Amino acid sequence: DAGVIQSPRHEVTEMGQEVTLRCKPISGHNSLFWYRQTMMRGLELLIYFNNNVPIDDSGMPEDRFSAKMPNASFSTLKIQPSEPRDSAVYFCASSLFLGGYEQYFGPGTRLTVT
Amino acid sequence: KNEVEQSPQNLTAQEGEFITINCSYSVGISALHWLQQHPGGGIVSLFMLSSGKKKHGRLIATINIQEKHSSLHITASHPRDSAVYICAVYQGDYGGSQGNLIFGKGTKLSVKP
């Protein structure tokens, strides 16, 4: 299996623009997670899905952030409008199930908002 | 106070040394994960523990549930072990319906040749 796939790997955009990050989980995995990593705050869970349904989005920082999982093989994280403080590395991870199972991380998307 | 504390924050070792990284947590958990993040940024899961000890190659992870403490040991360290090691805990019932992991801030390890 190719592992968790994320695109783009790098994104540079101007403040106010819409940003869409994409993730393809490992085939057969039922759970998908979106994380943000910054130097100051470390890894933070933004939202997670189980069987394509959002379970907990309490980590999403603001209404500017939204995430969808239209099918088992694709998820998006959208920021609209983007702000410089959104600059971070965004990771997608998948696992077989919820409940503490091992998570497999994608390579991350480094987002820079100028 | 963070729910998951790691020590040390930074660690420099000479090649061949035995290394220990510690993780203490203040909440009840059913599982603890050790992750490795290389300078390139990728994150890899090393271990998932709920009790006792696990070994994989030169890496050994232990957990003491009563003392709320876990250690990651690296024997015969090598420069390629240089990375950030992250501890994460899971509070829900293992195999249950929650997904939140609580992460430590990480320990940055540098192994010099």
Side-chain angles (χ1 to χ4, degrees):
Chain A
D1 200 314
V4 176
I5 299 172
Q6 290 187 248
S7 64
R9 293 293 306 277
H10 302 272
E11 176 80 34
V12 180
T13 191
E14 292 184 348
M15 183 173 66
Q17 296 298 307
E18 177 180 297
V19 175
T20 299
L21 310 181
R22 295 172 176 79
C23 175
K24 176 179 168 52
I26 292 173
S27 177
H29 281 193
N30 295 290
S31 304
L32 182 140
F33 306 82
W34 281 102
Y35 293 96
R36 178 172 69 175
Q37 186 179 42
T38 60
M39 289 292 293
M40 290 296 294
R41 300 172 70 93
L43 268 169
E44 301 174 280
L45 176 65
L46 300 177
I47 184 171
Y48 63 91
F49 296 81
N50 195 50
N51 294 324
N52 313 338
V53 176
I55 302 299
D56 186 347
D57 66 354
S58 59
M60 297 284 260
E62 299 171 37
D63 291 345
R64 298 184 296 107
F65 286 69
S66 63
K68 294 182 180 179
M69 192 165 185
N71 58 62
S73 58
F74 184 65
S75 177
T76 59
L77 177 68
K78 187 176 293 187
I79 308 172
Q80 165 64 15
S82 58
E83 296 183 5
R85 59 194 167 118
D86 301 330
S87 298
V89 181
Y90 291 80
F91 288 98
C92 174
S94 70
S95 66
L96 273 173
F97 305 107
L98 294 179
Y101 280 73
E102 183 177 10
Q103 295 184 18
Y104 296 80
F105 285 76
T109 295
R110 182 173 295 277
L111 173 64
T112 303
V113 183
T114 61
Chain B
K1 186 181 187 301
N2 292 331
E3 291 165 305
V4 180
E5 297 275 359
Q6 289 186 235
S7 64
Q9 282 187 295
N10 293 282
L11 180 57
T12 300
Q14 287 298 127
E15 183 173 356
E17 286 184 0
F18 180 86
I19 288 163
T20 295
I21 299 170
N22 296 298
C23 175
S24 296
Y25 50 92
S26 57
V27 295
I29 70 168
S30 60
L32 181 144
H33 298 254
W34 281 103
L35 309 171
Q36 179 191 56
Q37 186 170 27
H38 274 287
I43 299 174
V44 174
S45 177
L46 296 175
F47 294 103
M48 193 283 291
L49 292 161
S50 54
S51 65
K53 174 180 173 179
K54 286 191 177 179
K55 185 176 189 290
H56 181 70
R58 295 180 295 107
L59 301 178
I60 303 166
T62 64
I63 188 169
N64 185 319
I65 294 290
Q66 286 73 28
E67 295 188 3
K68 296 187 176 177
H69 181 267
S70 175
S71 292
L72 177 68
H73 306 286
I74 305 175
T75 62
S77 60
H78 190 276
R80 65 175 175 265
D81 297 325
S82 298
V84 175
Y85 292 84
I86 302 169
C87 171
V89 302
Y90 175 67
Q91 284 188 271
D93 294 330
Y94 186 70
S97 60
Q98 296 179 43
N100 312 56
L101 291 179
I102 306 172
F103 292 87
K105 296 284 190 215
T107 294
K108 185 174 181 180
L109 171 65
S110 178
V111 182
K112 306 293 186 187

